[in-house]
């Protein structure tokens, strides 16, 4: 493997035309510089300089390799600066649109921690379940479930393994019983929310026999997913929600997982923006921060037990 210090010797020597001068610039002895250059030529199996007692000039192979050596050193320096910059203070506005339920009940305390760690950031938080919010509102990024229908949008995964789970409040189950098969959901009051502008009333599941879908019905529908979650907590019916939305309620005993042997529909969480230029340093840090906490919740998901 080529050594970084050998590449530096080669590039500096080519630039100043003298091995001893390059050694002085690099603060090493001429002998060390000479050894590094010889080691590089041996590894490349090519002669990089034509030497004489009075001159030193690049060979054709040396001229060709110099371009790549410079690019390699520049790339490494850019990486070093990026790492150094990532440790510095970030500041400025951060405009974020998130789903109503996930935003209010899961993300909000995470954002408090993020803002405490980065006190120079000014957060503008918009709650909504429509992807079109990304275009109607002046936001930098949006967190959304599922892949965007608009292929021109940039989507970066945050919680790729997330799924929906079927659950209900203990009070509802005490009054109406617990379903033990997918088909029994027809006998229950299913709480429905809007998804992509349409009522999400065909629920899909995966079992050992393959994919199953069921048309469900209930006496309540809302375009706000948080409202549907609150109905479920109040014991109004059965809900089919993202694990990230209800994990806290399940862990606290406010909701109970139903049909635990059935795998819910995939519902990945993605960070979405209109252009990659919007992926600023605060955006990247926020994505990494949220991704880490989603990973912690997903480690407790019922399908991984």
């Amino acid at each position: 493997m080529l050594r970084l210090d050998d590449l530096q010797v080669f590039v500096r020597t080519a630039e100043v035309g003298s091995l001893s001068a390059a050694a002085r610039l690099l603060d090493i002895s001429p002998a060390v510089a000479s050894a590094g250059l010889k080691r590089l030529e041996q590894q490349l199996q090519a002669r990089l300089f034509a030497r004489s007692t009075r001159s030193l000039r690049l060979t054709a192979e040396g001229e060709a390799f110099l371009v790549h050596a410079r690019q390699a050193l520049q790339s490494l320096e850019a990486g070093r600066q990026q790492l150094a910059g990532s440790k510095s203070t970030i500041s400025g506005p951060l405009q974020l649109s998130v789903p109503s339920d996930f935003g209010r009940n899961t993300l909000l305390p995470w954002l408090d921690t993020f803002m405490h760690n980065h006190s120079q950031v000014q957060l503008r938080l918009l709650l909504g379940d429509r992807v079109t919010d990304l275009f109607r509102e002046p936001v930098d990024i949006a967190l959304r479930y599922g892949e965007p229908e608009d292929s021109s949008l940039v989507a970066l995964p945050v919680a790729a393994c997330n799924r929906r789970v079927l659950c209900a409040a203990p009070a509802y189950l005490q009054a109406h019983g617990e379903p033990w098969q997918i088909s029994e959901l027809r006998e229950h009051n299913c709480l429905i929310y809007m998804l992509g502008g349409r009522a999400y009333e065909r629920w899909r599941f995966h079992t050992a026999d393959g994919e199953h879908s069921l048309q469900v019905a209930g006496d309540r529908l809302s375009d706000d997913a948080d409202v549907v979650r609150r109905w479920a907590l109040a014991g109004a019916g059965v809900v089919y929600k993202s694990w990230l939305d209800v994990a806290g309620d399940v862990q606290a005993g406010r909701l109970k997982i139903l049909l635990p042997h059935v795998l819910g529909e995939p519902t990945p969480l993605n960070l979405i923006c209109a252009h990659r230029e919007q992926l600023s340093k605060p955006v990247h840090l926020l994505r990494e921060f949220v991704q880490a906490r989603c990973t912690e919740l997903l480690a407790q998901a019922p399908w991984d037990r």
Side-chain angles (χ1 to χ4, degrees):
M1 179 177 292
L2 303 183
R3 290 173 47 165
L4 175 61
D5 52 349
D6 293 347
L7 288 176
Q8 290 173 327
V9 168
F10 167 63
V11 171
R12 286 289 178 267
T13 301
E15 289 174 345
V16 299
S18 167
L19 187 60
S20 58
R24 287 194 298 271
L25 289 173
L26 295 171
D27 196 22
I28 58 177
S29 69
V32 170
S34 178
L37 190 56
K38 288 180 181 178
R39 183 167 48 242
L40 183 61
E41 289 180 323
Q42 289 173 354
Q43 289 179 303
L44 294 174
Q45 296 184 347
R47 192 171 184 181
L48 301 175
F49 288 99
R51 303 171 179 84
S52 70
T53 55
R54 295 185 178 181
S55 66
L56 184 73
R57 62 177 178 81
L58 284 167
T59 63
E61 291 88 349
E63 289 180 354
F65 184 68
L66 180 61
V67 175
H68 300 287
R70 279 176 172 159
Q71 289 176 346
L73 292 176
Q74 289 169 358
S75 179
L76 289 170
E77 176 60 17
R80 186 197 65 78
Q81 292 179 359
Q82 184 177 12
L83 286 177
S86 67
K87 298 175 183 177
S88 63
T89 300
I90 62 170
S91 61
L94 178 61
Q95 302 179 109
L96 173 66
S97 173
V98 300
S100 60
D101 195 350
F102 178 74
R104 288 188 181 96
N105 303 299
T106 303
L107 184 65
L108 202 57
W110 296 352
L111 288 177
D112 289 339
T113 302
F114 181 83
M115 295 295 291
H116 177 76
N117 295 338
H118 305 286
S119 58
Q120 300 302 311
V121 171
Q122 295 89 48
L123 177 67
R124 184 173 187 266
L125 180 65
L126 301 176
L127 300 176
D129 293 314
R130 298 181 180 88
V131 176
T132 50
D133 290 346
L134 186 62
F135 300 98
R136 291 206 306 260
E137 302 289 347
V139 298
D140 296 322
I141 55 172
L143 289 172
R144 287 291 181 266
Y145 288 119
E147 299 295 334
E149 294 183 2
D150 187 344
S151 60
S152 67
L153 294 174
V154 178
L156 301 178
V158 175
C161 300
N162 186 49
R163 290 181 176 272
R164 301 189 198 281
V165 291
L166 195 67
C167 50
Y172 175 85
L173 298 175
Q174 186 176 4
H176 302 279
E178 185 173 339
W180 297 104
Q181 298 181 38
I182 295 174
S183 60
E184 294 179 17
L185 290 173
R186 293 192 179 95
E187 304 168 11
H188 287 267
N189 192 49
C190 295
L191 306 173
I192 300 170
Y193 53 90
M194 305 292 289
L195 190 63
R198 298 183 295 273
Y200 181 62
E201 52 193 357
R202 178 163 290 279
W203 294 355
R204 293 175 173 82
F205 306 91
H206 298 267
T207 69
D209 300 328
E211 181 177 308
H212 300 265
S213 66
L214 183 72
Q215 186 80 18
V216 299
D219 62 0
R220 305 188 189 203
L221 180 148
S222 176
D223 65 346
D224 190 318
D226 184 42
V227 169
V228 176
R229 170 185 161 274
R230 291 172 185 266
W231 283 338
L233 291 173
V238 176
V239 70
Y240 191 40
K241 292 276 292 172
S242 157
W243 167 251
L244 294 177
D245 291 349
V246 298
D249 297 318
V250 172
Q251 292 164 355
R254 294 185 292 267
L255 292 175
K256 179 183 178 182
I257 296 291
L258 307 177
L259 304 180
H261 58 286
V262 173
L263 202 58
E265 184 177 20
T267 178
L269 181 67
N270 293 302
L271 183 148
I272 300 173
C273 63
H275 308 285
R276 287 196 174 271
E277 289 77 9
Q278 294 171 294
L279 300 175
S280 62
K281 186 188 299 181
V283 168
H284 279 296
L285 287 177
L286 178 65
R287 179 198 172 208
E288 293 171 0
F289 182 83
V290 174
Q291 190 172 38
R293 275 138 188 86
C294 286
T295 299
E296 293 173 2
L297 283 184
L298 290 171
Q300 306 166 41
W303 61 85
D304 280 342
R305 295 176 184 173

